[in-house]
Amino acid sequence: MKSAEEAPGLGRLKIGFVLARSFTLSAFALFVDTLRLASDETDRSGRILADWHVLASSRNLITSSCGVQVAPTSDFVDPGEFNYIVVVGGLLNNEFPVDSETVSYLKRAAAAKVPLIGICTGTFILAEAGLMKYHRTCVSWLHYQAFRERFPDHDVRSDRLFNLDRTRGSCAGGSSAADMAASIVRRHISREAERNALEVLQIERARSASDIQPHSPPFIECQDPRLKAALIIMENHIENTISIPKVAALVGLSRRQLERLFMEKTKSSPAIVYTRVRLERAKHLLMQTRAPMIEVAVEVGFENASHFSRLFRQTYGQPPTKFRSAVSG
């Protein structure tokens, strides 16, 4: 897709925002402020190169998860007026994050081939509407299990910051909303506009879609992006375990390369670290639930309680029953 400079007939970059009930304010603010700063020189806020609207079925204020309210600026106009429609999600405990009129509008936009982007849990709203089924979805590691449980037939990953897949986009949320907005600015306006926005936001550089989400198990300090990606994949496959060769393939390495990487960075093999990841999850279950030992074992990928108990004792110096008794008081 050409930039506005390369294709003068394209006009301004136009984005419509749909905000869910209890939406995440930071994700919306970072995305829209990147557009604002890219649209004009320095910090003048002129809508010269980009324009945007908050779309809604009514002009009622929309309350974010932190309590700050935002007023819609437009009704549901022709979706073809926009280059993208961005759905900003928030708290997952809201049974009806958007109304039926909003869902109908998103389906109309999809039928018109307008690219749809889910920010934070906005991907859940798009998937619930049947609009993500044939597109890879990027979600936060925090929401990966919930997405898998709700949409088991969808292609989802939580090791990357964002994804733009044909006519769909998805983003883990948080600060990565600025990264995704910057990539769209670069594509549709120019690199100079992207640089201007990021400099004013005090962001040194925009991370790309291939950058890894900043999360790893607390017992491992790591900076290597391939190692981070492997650890996130392991954390996402606790109950339904995944083979080490498959983990290696998902991060673009051979099994031997992955093993060398783990030995260099962690002084342990991928299999040993994977077992530790599962046992760390077991510790949380033992502290937070009263589930029988066999249920804990199965939930962290062991076939029986005896094998689980033996490895737990080898790792932490006491059997899981004793550990539970000690932490419960």
Side-chain angles (χ1 to χ4, degrees), residues 12-13 32-52 185 189-201:
R12 289 187 299 174
L13 169 63
V32 75
D33 235 19
T34 303
L35 296 179
R36 177 182 71 85
L37 295 165
S39 183
D40 200 359
E41 294 181 358
T42 60
D43 193 14
R44 298 176 186 172
S45 298
R47 300 192 184 195
I48 298 172
L49 301 175
D51 196 13
W52 53 91
V185 165
I189 303 177
S190 67
R191 288 187 179 275
E192 184 180 357
E194 176 200 28
R195 192 182 315 114
N196 178 67
L198 295 177
E199 284 179 353
V200 178
L201 287 171

Side-chain angles (χ1 to χ4, degrees), residues 92 118-124 127 132 136-148 151 154-163 169-173 176 213 232 236:
L92 283 178
I119 301 293
C120 192
T121 60
T123 50
F124 284 72
M132 293 299 291
R136 171 169 284 177
T137 304
C138 175
V139 300
S140 164
W141 60 268
L142 188 64
H143 301 126
Y144 177 84
Q145 292 298 338
F147 194 94
R148 282 287 302 271
F151 312 107
H154 283 54
D155 185 7
V156 60
R157 66 187 304 169
S158 66
D159 56 332
R160 298 299 193 268
L161 291 175
F162 64 89
N163 187 60
S170 48
C171 172
S176 63
Q213 291 187 30
I232 291 173
N236 289 337

Side-chain angles (χ1 to χ4, degrees), residues 154-264:
H154 283 54
D155 185 7
V156 60
R157 66 187 304 169
S158 66
D159 56 332
R160 298 299 193 268
L161 291 175
F162 64 89
N163 187 60
L164 194 56
D165 176 12
R166 304 194 302 279
T167 56
R168 296 292 181 275
S170 48
C171 172
S175 62
S176 63
D179 299 304
M180 188 174 206
S183 74
I184 290 172
V185 165
R186 183 172 66 252
R187 174 181 296 187
H188 287 268
I189 303 177
S190 67
R191 288 187 179 275
E192 184 180 357
E194 176 200 28
R195 192 182 315 114
N196 178 67
L198 295 177
E199 284 179 353
V200 178
L201 287 171
Q202 300 295 307
I203 297 175
E204 186 173 352
R205 73 171 185 91
R207 294 169 296 180
S208 71
S210 61
D211 275 283
I212 306 301
Q213 291 187 30
H215 170 73
S216 61
F219 61 90
I220 291 181
E221 288 290 334
C222 67
Q223 297 301 322
D224 191 291
R226 299 163 301 172
L227 182 60
K228 285 185 178 182
L231 291 168
I232 291 173
I233 291 167
M234 289 175 179
E235 285 198 312
N236 289 337
H237 293 83
I238 297 292
E239 181 178 359
N240 300 310
T241 55
I242 184 173
S243 69
I244 298 302
K246 180 68 172 176
V247 174
L250 287 171
V251 298
L253 299 173
S254 69
R255 176 173 185 163
R256 184 169 296 179
Q257 288 172 324
L258 185 71
E259 288 175 343
R260 281 203 301 266
L261 176 67
F262 267 76
M263 289 304 299
E264 178 187 345

